[in-house]
Amino acid sequence: MRSTITFSFLGGALALTNNKIDYMNQKVLLNDACPSDSTASKAANFPWSFWPECFSTEDKENTYCVFSHQGFASGRGIFILTTEDFAYAMLDKPAFTNPEVLATVNQYDNPPFVQHEFPGKGRGLVANKTLHRGDEIFSSTPIIITDSDAYELPTSERLALIHRGVETLPPDTQARFWALMGHANGDPVDDRISTNNFDTMIDGVTQQTLFPELSMLNHDCRPNAAYFWDEQMMTHYIHAIRDIRPGEEITITYTDNEKDRKTRLKRLEANWGFKCACSACTAHPELTAESDSRLYQITHLGRTLDDWTSSSSATPEVAELLISLYEQERLDANLATAYKYAAEAYSSFGRKWEAVKYARLSVERSMLDKGFADGDVAEMKKMAENPEMTWSWKKRVGLTGKSCECGNAH
Ligand SMILES: *[C@@H]1O[C@H](CO)[C@@H](O)[C@H](O)[C@H]1NC(C)=O
């Protein structure tokens, strides 16, 4: 319980010098302390469009502020509710320092889809042209970033900050925000944010980010689109992960699809308030039980392939089985990881060309599901060029019980 409610108000100069925070009582902030139509953005070197409004935790250890930048992403705007350090670190990313990198982002003028109202399910996006695996569906910048740690503030203060944040967004962007659906009762801003939030990593911490267009995509446990977050570009990319025909709904996953049906149902209900209706959830119990059984084996094989000790039972055949299981489950995005396991398994037995083949396959999928700049992508690119120079090369050659595999090496 927090007995005293305090907040801080950072003026522009204070925000820059970063050494003094004034505490006042809450009424002052909400009524008149914040010049909402201030000319802050014109003040020399002040990067935000408004004076940040802030609250501190009771112990004054952390201060959370609303940092608003209306010019971000060609005027789409963004507000960031976090600590001063995190907010200013974001400003150093290319998305802010070099706005041209976002030139092709947030383009919704001639999209490859139409909005459609599905009875009993709500709106969704339906492809209106053929999309091939790898085609971009859209890419977008967040309009809201909220630090999950800001929940340590008393609720009334956190709500005051997010309400203030929405007011600071450009009018078009505010309209996009209000068009979003919530799923619970309660505060209308909080409900919309918590219903539509996506967790992303920024500078090593989990931030909750909101992309209004992303929220139009419905969930499927076996989705046909994959997405990733590029922290430097501050952009969320969505690509087709398999071919999509005109008339087909474009779907993404909201949850971990390697979990069994019961777990998926529970999480979707708890976090988004809907009953999973995709075929992998609603098929005949005999079929969903078999699907669960494949998922358990996927988990088990992953552990086997991760075992690099001398008693490991990992072989290329184990990796081939893993790939086959992902294919049966139609987990197209997750194949990125299965191909990586296969590349490493073949490499570990000195089988160069199979390693190259699976490294190539892994790069292609990983770029769509993990991101262009992801570490796994870089690693698999190296493997595709030169398996002999990677850490796994011949790692398992000559291990006990593997003599038949070694005989196959070439
Ligand atoms: C698909 O629909 C969008 C509207 O959402 C439209 O702008 C676009 O031209 C359409 N594309 C095709 C190929 O019909």
Side-chain angles (χ1 to χ4, degrees), residues 113-127 181 216-220 224 247-251 277:
F113 52 76
V114 287
Q115 260 199 69
H116 182 76
E117 193 69 28
F118 291 92
K121 182 164 117 174
R123 62 196 164 177
L125 298 183
V126 172
M181 315 267 198
M216 294 188 302
L217 288 168
N218 284 319
H219 165 82
D220 196 296
N224 53 22
E248 226 183 294
E249 183 177 10
I250 303 170
T251 54

Side-chain angles (χ1 to χ4, degrees), residues 111-290:
F113 52 76
V114 287
Q115 260 199 69
H116 182 76
E117 193 69 28
F118 291 92
K121 182 164 117 174
R123 62 196 164 177
L125 298 183
V126 172
N128 64 353
K129 60 176 271 209
T130 300
L131 290 162
H132 295 288
R133 185 173 74 227
D135 287 354
E136 183 177 301
I137 294 165
F138 60 82
S139 53
S140 41
T141 55
I143 62 168
I144 298 176
I145 297 178
T146 43
D147 193 325
S148 0
D149 290 343
Y151 278 88
E152 47 178 13
L153 291 172
T155 304
S156 60
E157 301 180 354
R158 193 179 56 80
L159 293 182
L161 291 178
I162 57 178
H163 277 256
R164 168 66 186 154
V166 170
E167 283 167 22
T168 65
L169 294 171
D172 284 0
T173 305
Q174 278 189 43
R176 283 172 195 263
F177 174 79
W178 287 111
L180 293 170
M181 315 267 198
H183 79 278
N185 296 321
D187 183 84
V189 172
D190 201 25
D191 186 22
R192 280 177 174 79
I193 293 179
S194 60
T195 302
N196 296 287
N197 256 340
F198 260 73
D199 283 354
T200 49
M201 285 298 278
I202 307 178
D203 293 317
V205 300
T206 302
Q207 300 279 2
Q208 301 185 317
T209 37
L210 189 137
F211 311 86
E213 299 79 12
L214 182 58
S215 308
M216 294 188 302
L217 288 168
N218 284 319
H219 165 82
D220 196 296
C221 300
R222 304 293 177 258
N224 53 22
Y227 56 80
F228 66 89
W229 162 249
D230 187 316
E231 182 180 339
Q232 297 306 316
M233 299 296 155
M234 300 280 280
T235 298
H236 188 278
Y237 294 84
I238 305 173
H239 294 89
I241 194 70
R242 62 171 173 260
D243 293 357
I244 303 174
R245 288 180 304 273
E248 226 183 294
E249 183 177 10
I250 303 170
T251 54
I252 56 170
T253 183
Y254 293 3
T255 187
D256 178 357
N257 288 328
E258 296 190 17
K259 293 282 183 277
D260 64 14
R261 175 178 176 275
K262 205 173 100 203
T263 309
R264 296 195 309 266
L265 281 166
K266 204 162 71 192
R267 289 190 184 173
L268 291 165
E269 177 93 58
N271 294 327
W272 287 276
F274 67 85
K275 244 197 161 50
C276 180
C278 66
S279 58
C281 289
T282 55
H284 190 282
E286 290 287 344
L287 297 176
T288 56
E290 189 54 27

